[in-house]
Amino acid sequence: MSILVVGSVAFDSIETPHGVVDHCLGGAATHFALAASYFTKVRVIAVVGEDFTPEHEAVFTRRGIDTQGIERAKGLSFHWTGSYMGNLDEAKTLGTDLNVFETFEPKIPAAYADSEYLFLANIDPVLQGRVRSQMPNVRMVCGDTMNYWIADHGANLAKVLRELDVLLINDGEARMLAGERNLVLASEKVLAMGPKALVVKHGEYGATAFFSKHSFNGSGATSRPFRAPALPLSEVVDPTGAGDSFAGGFYGYLASQPELTPEVFRTAMFYGGVMGSFAVERFGTERLQGVTRQEIDERFKLFLEISHLDHTRA
Amino acid sequence: MSILVVGSVAFDSIETPHGVVDHCLGGAATHFALAASYFTKVRVIAVVGEDFTPEHEAVFTRRGIDTQGIERAKGLSFHWTGSYMGNLDEAKTLGTDLNVFETFEPKIPAAYADSEYLFLANIDPVLQGRVRSQMPNVRMVCGDTMNYWIADHGANLAKVLRELDVLLINDGEARMLAGERNLVLASEKVLAMGPKALVVKHGEYGATAFFSKHSFNGSGATSRPFRAPALPLSEVVDPTGAGDSFAGGFYGYLASQPELTPEVFRTAMFYGGVMGSFAVERFGTERLQGVTRQEIDERFKLFLEISHLDHTRA
């Protein structure tokens, strides 16, 4: 089934201990779409500038991603500059040039109207809300946000949260959103804001899902939390997009399944970790463009091996 | 089979957001012994002062722990004062009164000589080494250390590390010992120092075991890492001794099994998490004194539920 994702398609200039790249293709929607494309059909809503070339578009189309909804505008694409020189766990933003994103008005192509799964990647909650309201009949809505929107756009974000089935954020964001340091208490506060499930990403330590006491989308998912591992990696070349790739693997797998059961949700968290682990192996989206389904399946088995008492029975 | 543990039996004065306790029974060997006592026989080597009463001893003997090796000396027992007011993840040490520990010369009672498992809890590596050399024929040696010994007693610690089958430390200690931030690279450096396995405790995020490429004690354990979860807790009353309790659950389970297989090692990591999760529910050793085997078994099942795709087949 199809996922519609709205978010940034952008260029990133990144510095990590492994090197420097200038204006490589990036953006939350790009990482998400590439990761999800290994599981299901993906359609993208975004805006790019005149610097977005047919070669850039081919990165999407080669993976079968529908680019009809990528609007071309005069000017330059969104450009992010960041450094991980001090700490691979957290990017230091050196520059954010919104460019064409500043006046973006998301428009949904008629051909996207039957999308069953909606992903609101990390952009202005006002834009997230506009897309959500144009897709009233989707089966599921999943979304992301970041510290900037939590701190200064709380009212707009609150409206989006009320409409979410699953919110995927990291530890710091969950604690900030809840104003609570304890992760279990923070998750209860965040779930009270609307989402039926909260997936908290812990970077190199994996991710934890917390579930609302309300039945989750009719799935009968339990209210117990669930923890999925991350793969211990000896080399992280570029952490940019790891969270979006996690979301893409998670939601892509979920959307590929006929029914949302607790086991499907758990398995989706493992696939999230799998795609996140690939994303950081190379700069930008390089690894996500070239990974094979066989490599994904092998790494999924590796995730079972490193986390299950007897993985042969998992 | 019997575990011999050498380490501190002490009094702790602790301040956490949940309250204050003065001179409650604590110490690494105490937490370790109580946690391990639910799985196997435990014998303690330590020194206490005149403030250690029959009531304190009864905490051990009620759990069947052998206290013959707890030496009585003139003066006061080791006393630690710490605060978790700023951060539940890390204790701020306000005072360390070594007292009778300052001149401790560990002596091993004849009745302990047939102990098959040795645990060197976090004390001066010189003392760890002296106990190790008096127990040349044990089946397995497992140990702990801390930043203080890593920073200022490196040469003595290096000798102990060469003798270890398993080293259990936390993230910060592993990174400090290796002088390397990446956990996989740090684990390789630590394993090169001697231990055949390294268990790194991540606090609320669980623990990861890394294995040396050399066969692990003839067990055939794989060289893949293994990650065990921690239970997400809405309330941590007192984190003191969580790591020692993890070690007790881990090593206690391991020593209770006839053979060390990879699955036994993995399961032991889960029992480590289980005992750690109990330890922090109350101040001092209160919870570890009163937990029941049934509660332990139920929590183990809960750990499977929160980490396995299909826990009914685990």
Side-chain angles (χ1 to χ4, degrees):
Chain A
M1 278 166 286
S2 286
I3 297 177
L4 188 161
V5 52
V6 58
S8 57
V9 171
F11 292 106
D12 291 339
S13 296
I14 304 159
E15 183 184 40
T16 87
H18 289 274
V20 173
V21 292
D22 186 47
H23 279 81
C24 73
L25 181 64
T30 308
H31 283 100
F32 175 91
L34 286 169
S37 72
Y38 292 89
F39 302 93
T40 195
K41 285 189 180 173
V42 187
R43 297 152 166 179
V44 183
I45 301 280
V47 63
V48 291
E50 292 151 298
D51 47 359
F52 187 84
T53 66
E55 286 71 37
H56 296 123
E57 184 165 11
V59 169
F60 293 85
T61 52
R62 270 199 301 270
R63 289 288 326 136
I65 299 163
D66 191 326
T67 56
Q68 274 185 74
I70 301 184
E71 189 188 320
R72 316 303 162 105
K74 279 212 186 300
L76 294 172
S77 300
F78 179 35
H79 176 227
W80 179 77
T81 308
S83 171
Y84 299 88
M85 291 310 281
N87 185 352
L88 272 169
D89 301 336
E90 207 178 349
K92 187 176 172 192
T93 292
L94 302 175
T96 305
D97 309 308
L98 285 176
N99 297 331
V100 294
F101 244 95
E102 217 154 348
T103 53
F104 180 42
E105 287 287 344
K107 286 172 279 298
I108 296 168
Y112 284 14
D114 63 350
S115 306
E116 292 187 271
Y117 291 81
L118 177 60
F119 188 75
L120 308 171
N122 168 35
I123 45 165
D124 187 335
V126 169
L127 298 181
Q128 291 180 318
R130 278 188 205 149
V131 171
R132 173 69 183 101
S133 63
Q134 290 176 69
M135 300 293 294
N137 299 319
V138 288
R139 190 165 156 179
M140 195 170 179
V141 188
C142 191
D144 187 9
T145 192
M146 71 183 287
N147 50 11
Y148 177 75
W149 310 114
I150 295 169
D152 297 329
H153 296 75
N156 293 334
L157 180 59
K159 283 182 210 157
V160 174
L161 294 177
R162 281 200 287 276
E163 305 268 337
L164 285 187
D165 292 295
V166 185
L167 174 65
L168 288 111
I169 48 180
N170 68 32
D171 283 77
E173 289 155 358
R175 290 180 163 125
M176 186 180 180
L177 183 56
E180 165 64 50
R181 200 181 149 81
N182 178 285
L183 199 59
V184 177
L185 300 179
S187 77
E188 286 170 7
K189 287 191 176 183
V190 171
L191 291 170
M193 296 173 193
K196 297 190 184 66
L198 168 67
V199 175
V200 183
K201 295 166 287 178
H202 312 309
E204 67 172 312
Y205 301 121
T208 307
F210 297 96
F211 302 98
S212 155
K213 286 183 188 73
H214 311 291
S215 171
F216 176 64
N217 220 22
S219 73
T222 70
S223 64
R224 295 247 194 262
F226 183 71
R227 305 204 106 155
L231 188 66
L233 294 171
S234 60
E235 189 176 81
V236 172
V237 170
D238 173 15
T240 313
D244 304 311
S245 305
F246 180 101
F250 168 81
Y251 210 37
Y253 176 79
L254 226 153
S256 75
Q257 298 300 302
E259 212 190 334
L260 175 53
T261 65
E263 194 170 345
V264 163
F265 196 102
R266 289 160 182 240
T267 307
M269 293 205 26
F270 272 60
Y271 278 111
V274 164
M275 298 313 290
S277 75
F278 282 120
V280 303
E281 288 181 358
R282 306 269 167 80
F283 273 101
T285 58
E286 188 187 336
R287 190 67 178 105
L288 288 184
Q289 290 180 43
V291 71
T292 66
R293 184 63 215 217
Q294 195 192 331
E295 287 176 310
I296 292 170
D297 292 341
E298 281 165 10
R299 189 156 294 184
F300 176 79
K301 279 186 202 138
L302 182 55
F303 269 67
L304 290 182
E305 241 184 89
I306 67 164
S307 63
H308 280 57
L309 295 188
D310 181 354
H311 58 93
T312 59
R313 278 183 289 160
Chain B
M1 278 165 284
S2 286
I3 296 177
L4 188 161
V5 52
V6 57
S8 57
V9 171
F11 292 106
D12 291 338
S13 295
I14 303 159
E15 183 184 41
T16 86
H18 289 273
V20 173
V21 292
D22 187 45
H23 279 80
C24 72
L25 181 64
T30 309
H31 284 100
F32 176 90
L34 287 169
S37 72
Y38 292 89
F39 302 93
T40 196
K41 285 190 177 170
V42 186
R43 298 154 166 179
V44 183
I45 301 279
V47 63
V48 293
E50 292 152 299
D51 46 359
F52 188 83
T53 66
E55 286 73 37
H56 296 123
E57 184 165 11
V59 170
F60 292 84
T61 51
R62 270 200 302 271
R63 289 286 328 135
I65 299 163
D66 192 325
T67 57
Q68 275 184 75
I70 301 185
E71 186 188 323
R72 315 305 161 105
K74 280 213 185 300
L76 294 172
S77 302
F78 179 33
H79 175 226
W80 178 77
T81 309
S83 171
Y84 298 89
M85 292 310 279
N87 185 353
L88 272 169
D89 301 334
E90 205 178 349
K92 188 178 169 187
T93 292
L94 302 176
T96 304
D97 309 309
L98 285 177
N99 297 331
V100 295
F101 245 96
E102 219 153 347
T103 53
F104 181 42
E105 287 287 344
K107 286 173 277 298
I108 297 169
Y112 284 13
D114 64 348
S115 306
E116 292 186 272
Y117 292 81
L118 176 61
F119 188 75
L120 308 172
N122 169 34
I123 45 165
D124 188 334
V126 170
L127 299 181
Q128 292 180 319
R130 278 189 204 149
V131 172
R132 173 68 183 100
S133 62
Q134 291 176 67
M135 299 293 292
N137 300 317
V138 288
R139 188 163 157 178
M140 195 170 176
V141 188
C142 189
D144 187 8
T145 192
M146 71 182 291
N147 50 11
Y148 177 73
W149 310 115
I150 296 168
D152 297 329
H153 297 72
N156 293 333
L157 181 59
K159 284 182 211 157
V160 174
L161 294 178
R162 281 199 286 274
E163 305 268 336
L164 286 186
D165 291 296
V166 185
L167 174 67
L168 289 110
I169 48 180
N170 68 31
D171 283 77
E173 289 155 358
R175 290 179 164 125
M176 186 179 178
L177 183 57
E180 164 65 51
R181 198 182 153 78
N182 177 286
L183 199 59
V184 177
L185 299 180
S187 76
E188 286 170 7
K189 287 191 176 185
V190 172
L191 291 170
M193 296 173 194
K196 296 191 184 63
L198 167 68
V199 175
V200 184
K201 296 166 285 177
H202 313 309
E204 67 173 311
Y205 301 121
T208 306
F210 296 95
F211 302 97
S212 155
K213 283 178 191 77
H214 310 291
S215 172
F216 176 62
N217 221 21
S219 74
T222 70
S223 63
R224 295 249 194 258
F226 183 71
R227 306 204 105 155
L231 189 66
L233 294 169
S234 60
E235 192 177 79
V236 172
V237 170
D238 173 15
T240 313
D244 303 312
S245 306
F246 180 100
F250 167 82
Y251 210 38
Y253 176 80
L254 226 153
S256 75
Q257 298 301 300
E259 211 191 334
L260 175 53
T261 65
E263 193 168 347
V264 163
F265 196 102
R266 288 159 183 240
T267 307
M269 291 199 41
F270 272 62
Y271 278 111
V274 164
M275 298 314 290
S277 75
F278 282 120
V280 303
E281 287 181 359
R282 306 267 167 79
F283 272 102
T285 59
E286 189 187 337
R287 191 67 179 103
L288 288 184
Q289 290 180 43
V291 70
T292 65
R293 183 64 215 215
Q294 194 190 334
E295 286 175 311
I296 292 170
D297 293 341
E298 280 166 11
R299 189 155 295 184
F300 177 79
K301 280 187 201 137
L302 182 54
F303 269 67
L304 290 182
E305 242 184 90
I306 67 164
S307 64
H308 280 56
L309 294 186
D310 181 354
H311 58 91
T312 60
R313 278 183 289 159

